[in-house]
Amino acid sequence: MASSPRLEKITPNNFEAAIALKVHPDQDHLVAPVVTSLAEAYVHPGVAWPRLILDGDRIVGFLMAFFDIDFAGNGTGTDIRSGLWRLNIAAGEQGRGYGRFAVRAVAAEIRRRGGTRLTACWHPGEEGPEDFYLGLGFRSTGEVSGGQRVGELELT
């Protein structure tokens, strides 16, 4: 990282640059494009928290967190979670610590809102980011959501 990365809201001024962000082509099947995330954020206001990751004036990534969702989706409200919904690090920026920064930033926001755990989902397998998440201290819950492995990071 050249300087201290920071998060920035998506605005009309940076929208085009945000949707132009691309991961490595061999990762396209592992993460939705930014434009899909922004559409999901639009239909889930108050739950989705989309942010650009910048280093100086350079866009290096995108994250979208979620807050206080009924993870089980059964309407009982017995499994409320917050976490990392999406993480896209630009193809030429991977391996520079921006993903770790993104996870820490989401963890800080969850703590600020009173949460004590961060949930994330990832595609299992050699090409997927499982080693990245496990290396940050996530543990697999044994659950699967949308074909993805579910992991949690305790924030205590």
Side-chain angles (χ1 to χ4, degrees):
M1 289 183 278
S3 61
S4 294
R6 69 183 192 287
L7 299 182
E8 189 172 294
K9 290 182 180 181
I10 311 297
T11 67
N13 292 335
N14 62 24
F15 172 77
E16 292 295 330
I19 65 171
L21 185 139
K22 304 288 184 227
V23 298
H24 280 292
D26 60 349
Q27 297 170 333
D28 282 338
H29 68 287
L30 298 172
V31 65
V34 174
V35 70
T36 299
S37 296
L38 293 177
E40 289 170 331
Y42 177 80
V43 298
H44 296 285
V47 171
W49 193 68
R51 296 291 187 269
L52 285 174
I53 305 166
L54 284 90
D55 191 344
D57 292 333
R58 201 171 77 253
I59 295 173
V60 297
F62 169 85
L63 69 81
M64 187 161 71
F66 62 89
F67 300 108
D68 300 326
I69 66 161
D70 179 357
F71 198 78
N74 59 14
T76 65
T78 58
D79 189 13
I80 304 300
R81 299 187 197 186
S82 297
L84 185 60
W85 189 345
R86 198 77 30 76
L87 179 58
N88 305 53
I89 302 299
E93 304 293 348
Q94 294 181 10
R96 297 182 181 178
Y98 299 119
R100 285 187 302 279
F101 164 79
V103 171
R104 288 185 193 122
V106 171
E109 184 64 20
I110 290 171
R111 279 190 202 100
R112 189 186 74 72
R113 294 171 183 238
T116 59
R117 66 180 171 160
L118 188 163
T119 299
C121 299
W122 59 82
H123 287 281
E126 290 180 25
E127 296 175 352
E130 184 167 52
D131 289 342
F132 166 76
Y133 287 109
L134 296 178
L136 290 174
F138 282 82
R139 64 170 181 77
S140 177
T141 65
E143 300 167 283
V144 175
S145 177
Q148 298 183 46
R149 187 163 291 146
V150 179
E152 290 185 342
L153 178 65
E154 294 297 324
L155 302 179
T156 55

